[in-house]
RNA sequence: CGGGGCGUAGCGCAGCUUGGUCAGCGCGCCUGCCUUGGGCGCAGGAGGUCGGAGGUUCAAAUCCUCUCGCCCCGACCA
């Protein structure tokens, strides 16, 4: 088996059948499996370990910006959901209900939370009395349920895990600052920890969260050319404050409604990691969040078995101090089998050690992103591994960034735009007149939606890609998940 | 919710058109031996009410009806 083709015969080709490849990778790498309930999945230990590492990094960033964690209940009274008109309209179609307990019908039906603005708003109205109580900066890690019509592992499941932050502020300006602050937290988390480059921007009226005044998002580009909304941050204004009567007595003795935000990212990000970094051989996990960062594969001919194992265990002990390291000493699998297995699982660095290496006083290091093999001296191995993990993290980011840049198209007219969406897809960066009619027609005719109005760009005159009207508004468009 | 595809051993499948030695194959799994630098080899072995319920028939994995579930592509959403 020395040809490229034979390496990963157990998963579909990414180039030929992206969707099947995506599903195969998840199942075969043991990130997750289908549950007996329609649309639900089991996050297996390998996938959950990945999620825990993602949580740890993001949680630290959330706490570093002054927030604390709490936990609110799974069940929400039906009446709560109905109080905010846009909110109920947005979520009602996908809400799961509890109407009975044991053999008794409930006096008031409960919904299983699709998001927690309402129940948290209710609690905030009890807790907040004075301007001195503000801001309230609370986050929760939880599960939510949205009964989607069709589902996909990690990207869209009936139940998913996420964090949702819910804050209250004294002024509109503070709320807007908070909304943008958390968008930046997501941007840096995605780029620095997950090695996923993103476009940060504002959603259009049509695409914003049900009940928000303004929604911001970070948008990532998958390697099949479709965009993924990777995180959202909403400025809720006083919409929920008014219906839940969240008021405070201000310094000037005036009773005022608070200004709120909410923001979240979910296990959907795992789907993003797979589709941004994965390749024909399977997963490629960013070292910062990989459950296993280094796997040691000992080469153990019977005669050298004890010697090699002793060295491998010693290396494992040393590397444990600088990384998450596993030793794969299973005897029922050949080294070649293990190489493929760990590549499928996306482990960033593989360390091979056998009789030849021991004699030479070095080990073989192989990086997952490029497949590049190097040798590293036994002396200073810790530093070499640390450097290599950093290099893989950076390598994954640069590769993804280059892909996003190369697949962000400037088009000169509407026909070219349509052609791009039909062939290579990717982002299209173009002026838009701001008219919802144009937005709808674009979606109808090209399948692309306005992903966001970027924050970073400075406006300059252009002609709307659809109608030709003069506009300073440049937007990113793409087919989205 | 529209269009398409599919449910036969843990996984992937053949068999169905033309009912009757069709309960079969590959992988995986178990036992033993052997091997180990890119998915080793040999020998033996375990495992399936053919998604479910009705119906037709002397006889149903195969034909008919209903039903449950899954995947893909769209529309909707994180």
């Amino acid at each position: 088996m020395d040809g490229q083709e034979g390496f990963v015969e157990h998963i579909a080709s990414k180039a030929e059948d992206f969707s099947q490849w995506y599903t195969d990778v998840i199942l075969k790498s043991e990130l997750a499996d289908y549950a007996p309930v329609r649309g639900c999945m089991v996050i297996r230990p390998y996938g959950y370990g990945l999620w825990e590492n993602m949580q740890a990094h993001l949680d630290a960033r959330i706490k570093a910006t002054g927030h604390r964690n709490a936990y609110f209940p799974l069940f929400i009274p039906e009446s709560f959901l109905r109080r905010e008109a846009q909110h109920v309209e947005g979520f009602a179609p996908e809400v799961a209900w509890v109407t009975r307990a044991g053999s008794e019908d409930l006096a008031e039906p409960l919904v299983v939370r699709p998001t927690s603005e309402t129940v948290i708003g209710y609690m905030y109205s009890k807790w907040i009395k004075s301007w001195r109580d503000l801001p309230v900066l609370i986050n929760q890690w939880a599960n939510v349920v949205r009964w989607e019509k069709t589902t996909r592992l990690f990207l869209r499941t009936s139940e998913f895990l996420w964090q949702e932050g819910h804050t209250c502020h004294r002024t509109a300006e503070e709320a807007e600052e908070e909304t943008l602050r958390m968008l930046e937290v997501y941007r840096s988390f995605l780029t620095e920890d997950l090695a996923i480059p993103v476009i940060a921007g504002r959603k259009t009226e049509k695409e914003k969260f049900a009940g928000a005044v303004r929604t911001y998002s970070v948008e990532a580009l998958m390697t099949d050319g479709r965009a993924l909304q990777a995180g959202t941050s909403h400025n809720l204004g006083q919409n929920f404050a008014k219906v839940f009567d969240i008021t405070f007595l201000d310094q000037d003795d005036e009773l005022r409604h608070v200004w709120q935000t909410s923001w979240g990212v979910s296990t959907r990000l795992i789907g993003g990691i797979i589709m941004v970094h994965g390749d024909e051989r399977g997963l490629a996990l960013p070292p910062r969040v990989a459950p296993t960062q280094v796997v040691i594969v000992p080469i153990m001919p019977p005669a050298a078995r004890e010697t090699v194992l002793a060295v491998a265990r010693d290396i494992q002990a040393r590397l444990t101090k600088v990384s998450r390291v596993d030793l794969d000493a299973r005897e029922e699998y050949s080294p070649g089998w293990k190489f493929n297995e760990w590549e499928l699982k996306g482990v960033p660095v593989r360390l091979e050690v056998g009789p030849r290496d021991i004699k030479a006083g070095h080990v073989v290091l192989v990086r997952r992103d490029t497949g590049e093999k190097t040798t590293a001296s036994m002396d200073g191995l810790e530093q070499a591994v640390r450097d290599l993990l950093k290099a893989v993290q950076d390598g994954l980011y640069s590769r993804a960034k280059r892909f996003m840049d190369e697949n962000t198209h400037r088009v000169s007219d509407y026909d070219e735009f349509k052609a791009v969406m039909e062939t290579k897809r990717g982002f299209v960066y173009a002026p838009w007149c701001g008219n919802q009619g144009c937005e709808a027609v674009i979606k109808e005719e090209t399948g692309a939606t306005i992903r966001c109005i970027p924050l970073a760009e400075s406006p300059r005159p252009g002609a709307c890609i659809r109608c030709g009207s003069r506009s300073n508004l440049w937007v990113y468009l793409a087919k989205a998940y």
Side-chain angles (χ1 to χ4, degrees):
Chain A
M1 188 82 58
D2 52 9
Q4 294 281 315
E5 308 79 25
F7 283 158
V8 186
E9 52 193 310
H10 300 317
I11 62 175
S13 160
K14 187 187 179 197
E16 287 165 22
D17 189 348
F18 190 86
S19 294
Q20 191 59 51
W21 168 85
Y22 176 79
T23 304
D24 284 353
V25 164
I26 291 170
L27 298 177
K28 298 283 166 65
S29 66
E30 300 182 342
L31 285 177
D33 201 355
Y34 292 105
V37 176
R38 180 206 119 80
C40 292
M41 68 172 178
V42 176
I43 304 176
R44 302 182 66 175
Y46 193 60
Y48 202 78
L50 173 60
W51 178 239
E52 285 178 314
N53 291 336
M54 292 163 67
Q55 275 185 301
H57 278 94
L58 181 55
D59 196 62
R61 291 178 187 270
I62 289 171
K63 285 174 178 155
T65 40
H67 306 83
R68 292 187 299 168
N69 287 331
Y71 186 79
F72 295 84
L74 174 66
F75 300 119
I76 298 177
E78 174 186 16
S79 57
F80 280 24
L81 207 65
R82 301 205 176 283
R83 288 198 204 174
E84 216 287 334
Q86 292 181 345
H87 192 65
V88 66
E89 189 187 334
F91 284 103
E94 55 197 41
V95 157
W97 295 85
V98 177
T99 59
R100 199 174 62 180
S103 57
E104 312 257 320
D105 284 341
L106 298 182
E108 178 178 2
L110 302 174
V111 303
V112 182
R113 64 180 164 213
T115 181
S116 303
E117 275 76 8
T118 56
V119 64
I120 292 178
Y122 172 84
M123 297 310 297
Y124 283 173
S125 73
K126 290 174 66 174
W127 296 340
I128 297 168
K129 300 296 172 203
S130 155
W131 66 275
R132 296 179 206 275
D133 296 330
L134 298 174
V136 173
L137 305 173
I138 291 180
N139 175 67
Q140 84 164 340
W141 290 92
N143 59 337
V144 288
V145 168
R146 298 182 187 179
W147 218 258
E148 304 284 357
K149 287 165 192 149
T150 57
T151 56
R152 284 196 90 188
L153 292 169
F154 287 116
L155 295 177
R156 194 187 303 116
T157 47
S158 300
E159 178 191 9
F160 57 93
L161 305 184
W162 76 347
Q163 57 72 215
E164 48 179 328
H166 296 269
T167 68
C168 298
H169 306 267
R170 191 176 171 187
T171 65
E173 292 70 31
E174 281 181 38
E176 180 68 5
E177 275 172 33
E178 168 77 0
T179 310
L180 291 170
R181 180 181 302 116
M182 297 322 289
L183 187 72
E184 171 56 21
V185 163
Y186 290 155
R187 193 202 60 77
S188 53
F189 169 61
L190 268 285
T191 57
E192 291 165 19
D193 294 330
L194 307 186
I196 296 177
V198 294
I199 306 289
R202 181 163 58 85
K203 287 293 194 183
T204 64
E205 282 300 300
K206 184 177 182 302
E207 301 279 333
K208 76 178 185 187
F209 175 74
V213 171
R214 264 190 300 284
T215 289
Y216 297 90
S217 74
V218 284
E219 302 282 332
L221 190 63
M222 306 298 102
T223 43
D224 66 343
R226 293 174 72 172
L228 183 76
Q229 179 172 300
T232 49
S233 185
H234 314 292
N235 185 332
L236 302 176
Q238 294 177 309
N239 289 348
F240 289 89
K242 284 178 178 165
V243 296
F244 285 96
D245 202 29
I246 313 171
T247 56
F248 66 100
L249 200 56
D250 211 341
Q251 240 174 331
D252 58 5
D253 207 30
E254 285 287 327
L255 193 62
R256 295 200 165 89
H257 288 105
V258 300
W259 299 81
Q260 293 185 279
T261 81
S262 70
W263 26 272
V265 302
S266 73
T267 37
R268 165 178 257 204
L269 285 178
I270 294 175
I273 292 173
I274 297 165
M275 292 190 289
V276 167
H277 300 308
D279 59 24
E280 294 291 351
R281 298 185 182 196
L283 286 177
L285 297 178
R288 289 223 196 165
V289 292
T292 298
Q293 295 172 309
V294 181
V295 62
I296 302 169
V297 177
I299 315 298
M300 307 181 286
R305 187 176 171 280
E306 294 309 321
T307 316
V308 172
L309 256 186
V311 173
R313 289 206 181 95
D314 178 57
I315 292 171
Q316 179 186 26
R318 286 172 59 187
L319 291 184
T320 296
K321 294 169 191 151
V322 298
S323 62
R324 296 184 287 272
V325 57
D326 272 346
L327 169 61
D328 186 355
R330 291 176 295 178
E331 306 208 34
E332 64 271 31
Y333 294 111
S334 68
W337 195 95
K338 293 176 183 175
F339 296 166
N340 283 283
E341 172 83 348
W342 291 109
E343 280 168 4
L344 171 64
K345 290 174 87 84
V347 173
V349 170
R350 179 173 79 240
L351 188 156
E352 304 172 16
V353 59
R356 295 203 305 250
D357 305 304
I358 293 172
K359 193 169 293 178
H362 65 221
V363 298
V364 176
L365 295 175
V366 186
R367 52 189 287 183
R368 177 62 181 83
D369 58 335
T370 61
E372 183 192 359
K373 274 192 187 193
T374 52
T375 55
S377 164
M378 291 286 194
D379 308 322
L381 186 58
E382 290 90 341
Q383 192 56 46
V385 165
R386 218 171 357 209
D387 291 346
L388 195 56
L389 286 171
K390 175 79 166 61
V392 174
Q393 181 83 29
D394 295 345
L396 286 173
Y397 180 79
S398 336
R399 187 167 71 181
K401 181 71 165 62
R402 198 179 325 117
F403 178 86
M404 188 173 85
D405 291 344
E406 286 170 358
N407 287 278
T408 298
H409 313 288
R410 305 283 180 116
V411 295
S412 48
D413 60 46
Y414 193 56
D415 285 337
E416 192 186 342
F417 175 25
K418 282 199 262 193
V420 166
M421 281 305 144
E422 277 162 24
T423 53
K424 46 198 170 184
R425 300 196 279 211
F427 282 129
V428 162
Y429 184 56
W432 168 56
C433 62
N435 188 306
Q436 286 212 27
C438 270
E439 185 179 13
V441 170
I442 287 170
K443 181 171 183 178
E444 174 74 25
E445 294 181 354
T446 68
T449 49
I450 298 175
R451 301 318 303 155
C452 69
I453 303 154
L455 296 180
E457 318 287 328
S458 55
R460 59 190 178 288
C464 172
I465 189 66
R466 165 76 179 83
C467 69
S469 306
R470 202 173 164 74
S471 173
N472 284 338
L473 204 58
W474 286 69
V475 298
Y476 283 89
L477 301 114
K479 288 192 182 179
Y481 273 97

